[in-house]
Amino acid sequence: MGGNTVVGTVQTRFAILAIVCLALAGASAYAAGHPDVAQVLALAELDVVWITLLITGLILRKRGIPLLAGWRSIAASLPPAPVHKAIVAEVGLVTAVARVVTRRPPRVPENGTAIVSTRGTLATPIAFAVATMIEIVVLHLVIPSPSLASAVTLLSLYALILLFGVIAIRWQHPHYATNTALVLRNGTHTVATIYFANIRNATVINDGIATYPLVDGSLVRLANANGCSVSIQLLSAQPITLTGRRRAPEHTITEIRLAADDPKSVIEMLRHRR
């Protein structure tokens, strides 16, 4: 399909720009007290959407390109890389919240044993949730336009969902142990894979120096809000990266400290698998 999308990058971006502009204009009109204008703009936006979908589908069919593969190619080529990554990350946060709410199990391989570390992690988002509720009440009292106040309320609630998503995505992507190695994660990013043969010792600790992932010389703390509760010393140095960013620095560490709700069971598990 080359560097352009199958329907043409420029044309598709113009269609998306038209949809976004109509949406912003409709929201502004509604907030200004013109629901009739907002309704007309919304209908125009729907026209742009279905006409774009129809034309795109016809072009894909004419060129013999599978519909799903074609749409994936279009989605991947439309936004610039940073915007695309931001959209993917945001969708991941919302999906993680949905999985936690519906009590879906953590995302670990079938042969993996999850190392759960959820205790104490909700204190900060709950505090923000209380502050947001107070803020919403104040905004409804201060902002004269009910429509604008409602729009701000929706934005505040969505931001709160994303905040819970940061916690939920770590719940859904915990550290885990396989038959041969300990896989350490920071959200969806795999920090390192530590083979059991490289573990010299593992002990229970109470380290509250950091409440977030942090490298300190040859020591890495994969902490949560409660700090770290397990210390793992290595026989030989291990390279790690804390994030999945392209230019994320690589560190060489000899000790790992991580959070676990039941550190004693983690120590026992490591002892039996070493």
Side-chain angles (χ1 to χ4, degrees), residues 139-161:
L139 288 174
H140 275 274
L141 294 175
V142 173
I143 297 177
S145 169
S147 300
L148 183 57
S150 298
V152 173
T153 297
L154 290 175
L155 288 174
S156 298
L157 291 176
Y158 184 64
L160 192 59
I161 290 174

Side-chain angles (χ1 to χ4, degrees), residues 15-33:
I16 291 177
L17 181 61
I19 292 169
V20 172
C21 289
L22 286 168
L24 292 174
S28 300
Y30 187 82

Side-chain angles (χ1 to χ4, degrees), residues 21-268:
C21 289
L22 286 168
L24 292 174
S28 300
Y30 187 82
H34 301 289
D36 49 345
V37 176
Q39 186 174 4
V40 172
L41 291 171
L43 292 173
E45 183 180 5
L46 288 175
D47 283 340
V48 173
V49 171
W50 78 259
I51 290 172
T52 301
L53 293 175
L54 176 62
I55 292 175
T56 302
L58 290 174
I59 293 175
L60 290 174
R61 182 176 180 181
K62 183 177 180 180
R63 298 189 180 183
I65 300 172
L67 194 61
L68 184 58
W71 277 113
R72 283 177 177 170
S73 174
I74 293 169
S77 61
L78 281 177
V83 176
H84 183 261
K85 287 182 179 179
I87 293 172
V88 171
E90 189 169 322
V91 171
L93 294 177
V94 175
T95 303
V97 172
R99 287 182 62 88
V100 169
V101 170
T102 55
R103 299 180 180 276
R104 301 292 298 277
R107 293 178 178 270
V108 297
E110 290 185 4
N111 65 334
T113 302
I115 298 177
V116 179
S117 58
T118 60
R119 191 174 300 156
T121 55
L122 284 177
T124 298
I126 287 175
F128 272 98
V130 173
T132 300
M133 294 302 114
I134 296 173
E135 179 187 64
I136 289 173
V137 173
V138 172
L139 288 174
H140 275 274
L141 294 175
V142 173
I143 297 177
S145 169
S147 300
L148 183 57
S150 298
V152 173
T153 297
L154 290 175
L155 288 174
S156 298
L157 291 176
Y158 184 64
L160 192 59
I161 290 174
L162 295 182
L163 175 61
F164 276 98
V166 173
I167 305 298
I169 205 164
R170 291 178 178 172
W171 287 12
Q172 283 293 305
H173 297 85
H175 312 308
Y176 64 91
T178 66
N179 293 329
T180 58
L182 176 65
V183 180
L184 304 174
R185 288 165 155 179
N186 182 13
T188 58
H189 172 66
T190 298
V191 174
T193 299
I194 311 295
Y195 289 98
F196 295 134
N198 193 31
I199 295 178
R200 177 168 59 87
N201 190 29
T203 56
V204 175
I205 60 168
N206 185 14
D207 182 354
I209 292 176
T211 56
Y212 54 89
L214 177 68
V215 174
D216 182 8
S218 61
L219 165 66
V220 60
R221 291 182 173 91
L222 300 176
N224 63 12
N226 275 350
C228 298
S229 54
V230 175
S231 172
I232 300 171
Q233 294 84 36
L234 305 179
L235 289 171
S236 59
Q238 172 86 35
I240 66 162
T241 54
L242 281 183
T243 69
R245 295 195 303 268
R246 182 181 299 177
R247 297 183 180 179
E250 185 176 272
H251 305 276
T252 302
I253 54 93
T254 56
E255 182 181 358
I256 301 154
R257 296 185 180 182
L258 53 90
D261 289 351
D262 189 356
K264 291 183 179 179
S265 67
V266 174
I267 299 299
E268 281 299 314

